[in-house]
Amino acid sequence: MPNKTFFNLPENKRKKLTEVAIAEFATYDYTNASISRIVAEAKIAKGSFYQYFQDKKDLYLHLVELASQERINFLRSTNPPEPQTGFFRYLRWLLGTSAQFDLTHPTLSRIVNGAAYSDLPFRDEAVKRTQEISLEYVKELVNQGIAQGDINSEISPDLAAFVVSTLLGNELGKFILQKVDIDPQKLAKSEPLDIDMQVIEKIFDDLVRILEMGISSK
């Protein structure tokens, strides 16, 4: 986590440093990202940087959390097509809207994807940060689903949230990339990708159907 001195910075300086750091890690992988370039672009002394963050890893993990939270904020601020869609229809809409975030916020998306799919030396720790933020949001949705009668109230809300969050997490991303024949590490890079969205939409449909109906033939 950043030191208190970072949060004590004037908002414009804190915002500038954050924007420069996001651009750096969205352009270069973790190993090749440069603190020297960041401080030069942000116009701060290198010594000052280490008053704000312990090291490059500390900065990167902060950006991973920030980007993950921005994704959640985007989902919260984007209204579904109908005010009362029900849990499963809302979940299906949510999957598509999350994909929209990746298209409309490419730099933040590359930060999150870099944590999940690049050769990060502390990948497990970075992924855990994103999962914790996602899980809290899914818990809210599950509790709403139970209150609306869409989810069986006899099921543990925590277990239901864990199952949904796990299915919607990085492993789903890997499954999708395999189906559209894209190297996962390409998601962490800035090159544009040619993705068959119809395949992805079909996967989203099937996933929500499985969550709602189960896999039993009965």
Side-chain angles (χ1 to χ4, degrees):
M1 288 292 295
N3 296 324
K4 186 178 179 180
T5 50
F6 174 73
F7 295 108
N8 287 339
L9 282 172
E11 183 180 357
N12 62 323
K13 291 186 177 181
R14 192 170 66 248
K15 183 178 179 182
K16 175 67 174 177
L17 176 55
T18 301
E19 289 176 346
V20 169
I22 287 173
E24 179 73 12
F25 284 106
T27 304
Y28 302 94
D29 62 21
Y30 177 80
T31 300
N32 293 308
S34 167
I35 296 300
S36 296
R37 279 196 298 266
I38 291 173
V39 297
E41 181 68 23
K43 295 180 171 55
I44 63 172
K46 198 166 188 178
S48 296
F49 172 84
Y50 290 102
Q51 294 178 6
Y52 309 144
F53 299 92
Q54 295 180 20
D55 49 26
K56 184 164 73 168
K57 174 185 175 181
D58 192 31
L59 170 62
Y60 185 81
L61 288 175
H62 171 63
L63 297 181
V64 167
E65 289 187 356
L66 179 66
S68 300
Q69 189 59 59
E70 283 300 311
R71 184 193 292 269
I72 299 300
N73 293 342
F74 179 80
L75 297 175
R76 290 183 188 278
S77 65
T78 307
N79 294 323
E82 299 175 23
Q84 298 295 331
T85 60
F87 176 80
F88 295 101
R89 289 183 64 192
Y90 182 84
L91 185 63
R92 174 60 185 87
W93 170 84
L94 203 65
L95 286 165
T97 305
S98 183
Q100 182 185 348
F101 174 87
D102 292 339
L103 296 174
T104 56
H105 299 74
T107 54
L108 291 176
S109 180
R110 283 197 290 273
I111 297 296
V112 176
N113 289 331
Y117 302 115
S118 67
D119 292 328
L120 199 63
F122 48 92
R123 179 178 172 276
D124 288 347
E125 184 177 355
V127 168
K128 183 180 179 182
R129 301 282 181 102
T130 67
Q131 289 174 336
E132 288 173 348
I133 292 172
S134 174
L135 181 59
E136 287 305 310
Y137 180 54
V138 172
K139 282 181 179 179
E140 292 180 28
L141 299 182
V142 165
N143 285 325
Q144 290 175 13
I146 292 173
Q148 293 171 351
D150 295 323
I151 298 176
N152 189 336
S153 61
E154 295 182 2
I155 295 175
S156 163
D158 287 343
L159 178 58
F162 170 77
V163 170
V164 173
S165 181
T166 300
L167 286 175
L168 303 187
N170 295 328
E171 295 306 315
L172 173 62
K174 291 178 182 177
F175 177 83
I176 290 173
L177 292 174
Q178 182 182 22
K179 291 300 180 182
V180 296
D181 195 25
I182 290 178
D183 182 350
Q185 292 196 16
K186 287 186 178 180
L187 283 185
K189 299 178 181 179
S190 57
E191 294 88 348
L193 298 174
D194 183 17
I195 299 177
D196 188 341
M197 288 304 299
Q198 287 187 335
V199 173
I200 295 176
E201 295 286 350
K202 178 63 165 56
I203 292 172
F204 288 165
D205 288 340
D206 289 345
L207 175 60
V208 173
R209 189 177 297 113
I210 289 171
L211 282 170
E212 183 174 11
M213 308 299 293
I215 61 175
S216 172
S217 62
K218 298 181 181 179

